[in-house]
């Protein structure tokens, strides 16, 4: 790929991004909400939210353990 071809490629994708941004701005709030709701329901159905909650809890527990270690090692 030449320098010019690379520039043209990037230029085309910037145009695509502009069109997608325009379409998104023109989409009604109701349609955006419906899409978000569909994505949420799909995530629930696939079990992603339960995994995310478990990961968050695990992370919080790790932070608590580190905090307790710091508190007990302080003079």
């Amino acid at each position: 790929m030449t320098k010019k071809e690379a520039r043209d490629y990037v230029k085309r994708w910037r145009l695509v991004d502009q069109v997608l941004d325009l379409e998104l701005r023109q989409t009604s709030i109701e349609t955006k909400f419906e899409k978000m709701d569909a994505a949420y329901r799909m995530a629930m159905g696939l079990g992603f939210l339960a995994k995310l909650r478990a990961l968050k809890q695990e992370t919080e527990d790790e932070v608590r353990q580190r905090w307790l270690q710091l508190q007990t090692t302080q003079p």
Side-chain angles (χ1 to χ4, degrees):
M1 179 179 276
T2 67
K3 225 177 190 180
K4 182 183 179 333
E5 290 172 334
R7 278 192 217 116
D8 290 344
Y9 177 82
V10 170
K11 187 177 179 181
R12 284 193 304 273
W13 277 109
R14 284 187 180 143
L15 290 173
V16 169
D17 284 341
Q18 288 175 355
V19 170
L20 291 175
D21 286 344
L22 179 62
E23 288 176 354
L24 185 59
R25 277 188 250 122
Q26 292 176 343
T27 303
S28 71
I29 195 73
E30 291 84 11
T31 302
K32 289 177 185 177
F33 181 76
E34 288 170 2
K35 288 181 178 183
M36 183 182 68
D37 185 54
Y40 178 82
R41 289 175 185 267
M42 185 187 314
M44 290 246 330
L46 294 172
F48 291 150
L49 296 180
K51 290 176 186 174
L52 188 60
R53 281 190 209 105
L55 182 61
K56 181 181 177 196
Q57 184 62 45
E58 182 180 308
T59 304
E60 288 175 0
D61 291 343
E62 289 174 8
V63 170
R64 282 190 189 99
Q65 289 300 319
R66 283 191 216 127
W67 181 248
L68 287 173
Q69 284 178 338
L70 285 172
Q71 284 180 331
T72 58
T73 60
Q74 295 294 323

